[in-house]
Amino acid sequence: MQTTDPGSKAIMEAEIILKSKLSNPCYKKIMCSISGGADSDVLLDLVSRYDTEKKVEYVFFDTGIEYKATKEHLRYLEEKYGIEIKKIRAEKPIPICCRKYGQPFLSKQISEWIMRLQKHGFEWEDGTFEELYKKYPKCKAALKWWCNMWPKKKNGSESVYNIAYTPYLKEFLQEYPPPFFISNKCCHFTKKLLAARYKKNNKIDLSMTGIRKAERGARQQRYKTCFNTTSKGTDEFRPIFWFKKKDKEIYIETNQVTNSKCYTKYGLDRTGCACCPFGLNFEKELAAAKEYEPNLYKAAINIFGASYEYTRKYYEFREQRKAKEHEKKDCSSRNHTEEKEG
């Protein structure tokens, strides 16, 4: 059952740990989350090779806005591996969440802070933390973000929990307050809460996901290792957590893993919630959806349209501010040089 190039230590270690978890008698009910993405494909191929006792059940959480290509890929995976992938649809799919709570903007954490401030009528004003906290006493954490009160990193760089971490965002919000409600509830109801309920209702002992440490974003901050126990009765295991890009490429080539058309035809770098505004390349996803899945494109515009426009406005604002900063520095440098020469 050779699955890897001997030069990939990460893959060999993942196989050893995975076999240990699957053979552990404490884990009678094991769930493996399948998303249809590239990392998920590697995870499924790896797990299927060592699940000799057929203890693992595969689950796909449908957010309510998925690529047609992803659903086709799930059917392909079921046929290839001879498995059933259970499709669990959210009680509050993304379209409903966005209408009821607000649209996502930039990132989950930023959307969380803005949502809390909007809830309490924040006026996007300047002031010290103490001054603003007296005025908005139920927004302590969000105000710490707004006032850059969270401690900096050990190397002195800005904390991801401070608004200063996102260039010119504070200035943008002050000049252009959000004209619509912002929220990260779509992620909460269609992913986090849905998965938690499924684990509880089905008494899952071990949950496996295709999260990798090398991914950017909140996952780097949240997870420090490939395994952890929880107080909720379900242990969490991330078999490919230590895979870097090269390890992933080796595994895919060695084991002839096939990715969905989202990658091979549409040219995307990720799947998940289709055309999500959180994605750094949401414009690329929109262009692909418009070309290959026009109905999905129309749905995305209807669901996230306000966020797309606001995000574009922020990016334009940020670039203008950067240009002004560079111009100011160049002018200052020239003046300094002239004074020195004079």
Side-chain angles (χ1 to χ4, degrees):
M1 193 178 284
Q2 180 67 27
T3 64
T4 182
D5 183 304
S8 177
K9 181 181 177 182
I11 300 178
M12 289 189 287
E13 289 181 345
E15 291 173 334
I16 293 171
I17 299 173
L18 176 60
K19 285 189 285 186
S20 173
K21 299 299 181 188
L22 292 176
S23 62
N24 189 329
C26 293
Y27 299 132
K28 295 179 174 60
K29 297 205 68 176
I30 304 175
M31 181 189 89
C32 182
S33 294
I34 302 299
S35 68
D39 289 345
S40 174
D41 289 338
V42 172
L43 173 68
L44 173 54
D45 188 88
L46 182 62
V47 171
S48 68
R49 292 174 183 275
Y50 293 102
D51 182 25
T52 55
E53 298 179 30
K54 304 300 179 184
K55 295 170 66 174
V56 179
E57 57 182 70
Y58 301 94
V59 182
F60 171 77
F61 297 107
D62 188 339
T63 65
I65 179 166
E66 304 286 349
Y67 291 103
K68 181 180 177 182
T70 295
K71 294 184 177 181
E72 290 175 351
H73 188 60
L74 294 178
R75 290 193 290 271
Y76 161 78
L77 294 174
E78 289 180 315
E79 293 177 6
K80 178 179 179 180
Y81 295 102
I83 61 173
E84 176 193 2
I85 300 176
K86 296 181 180 179
K87 287 80 174 177
I88 312 299
R89 189 170 173 89
E91 294 178 12
K92 293 183 181 180
I94 283 178
I96 292 177
C97 285
C98 288
R99 284 198 300 270
K100 186 172 183 179
Y101 303 106
Q103 297 180 32
F105 172 64
L106 290 184
S107 75
K108 295 177 186 178
Q109 190 61 72
I110 289 173
S111 295
E112 172 73 20
W113 297 141
I114 293 178
M115 177 181 69
R116 295 187 190 186
L117 293 173
Q118 283 184 316
K119 183 179 178 180
H120 296 284
F122 188 64
E123 296 180 359
W124 314 106
E125 60 210 89
D126 265 329
T128 65
F129 172 77
E130 289 74 17
E131 291 169 342
L132 295 175
Y133 188 42
K134 288 181 181 178
K135 190 173 181 180
Y136 306 99
K138 296 183 179 180
C139 295
K140 186 175 183 179
L143 288 174
K144 288 179 70 175
W145 168 71
W146 180 256
C147 296
N148 297 305
M149 295 293 290
W150 293 100
K152 291 187 177 183
K153 298 178 182 178
K154 291 182 179 179
N155 62 6
S157 61
E158 194 61 69
S159 167
V160 295
Y161 299 111
N162 287 331
I163 195 170
Y165 182 81
T166 310
Y168 306 108
L169 179 58
K170 185 172 185 176
E171 294 85 345
F172 173 75
L173 290 170
Q174 289 178 310
E175 191 163 337
Y176 302 103
F180 61 100
F181 285 112
I182 291 173
S183 170
N184 63 1
K185 290 296 185 181
C186 52
C187 286
H188 174 75
F189 283 106
T190 63
K191 292 183 178 180
K192 187 176 180 180
L193 184 62
L194 190 62
R197 285 179 176 174
Y198 185 87
K199 293 173 190 176
K200 182 179 179 180
N201 293 340
N202 292 275
K203 299 180 180 179
I204 300 297
D205 301 311
L206 181 69
S207 171
M208 295 191 291
T209 56
I211 294 172
R212 291 188 302 118
K213 177 66 174 176
E215 291 181 271
R216 292 180 295 181
R219 288 175 173 178
Q220 282 188 327
Q221 304 295 322
R222 181 178 178 185
Y223 301 111
K224 304 301 181 184
T225 183
C226 68
F227 176 81
N228 63 274
T229 58
T230 71
S231 59
K232 298 178 182 179
T234 302
D235 291 344
E236 298 177 345
F237 178 40
R238 297 166 282 277
I240 63 171
F241 187 68
W242 300 113
F243 280 31
K244 294 184 178 179
K245 182 179 179 181
K246 184 62 177 177
D247 300 309
K248 180 178 163 183
E249 291 173 348
I250 289 173
Y251 190 95
I252 288 175
E253 182 179 355
T254 303
N255 298 288
Q256 299 181 327
V257 174
T258 301
N259 298 139
S260 81
K261 289 180 182 178
C262 286
Y263 299 90
T264 61
K265 184 177 180 180
Y266 299 3
L268 300 181
D269 303 313
R270 63 169 290 279
T271 55
C273 302
C275 305
C276 176
F278 285 156
L280 293 175
N281 296 315
F282 75 84
E283 299 283 18
K284 183 178 180 180
E285 292 186 42
L286 279 173
K290 188 174 184 179
E291 180 177 359
Y292 297 108
E293 299 192 22
N295 289 335
L296 177 65
Y297 170 78
K298 293 176 184 177
I301 295 298
N302 287 331
I303 297 167
F304 303 125
S307 181
Y308 292 148
E309 292 304 315
Y310 197 56
T311 303
R312 290 171 183 139
K313 193 170 186 177
Y314 162 66
Y315 287 153
E316 182 181 358
F317 178 89
R318 185 182 67 183
E319 293 309 308
Q320 290 174 349
R321 283 301 186 98
K322 283 183 178 180
K324 287 182 180 179
E325 282 293 320
H326 285 306
E327 185 179 343
K328 185 177 180 181
K329 287 181 180 179
D330 289 342
C331 183
S332 176
S333 178
R334 285 196 301 270
N335 291 338
H336 178 71
T337 301
E338 291 172 0
E339 289 177 3
K340 192 174 182 180
E341 290 176 351

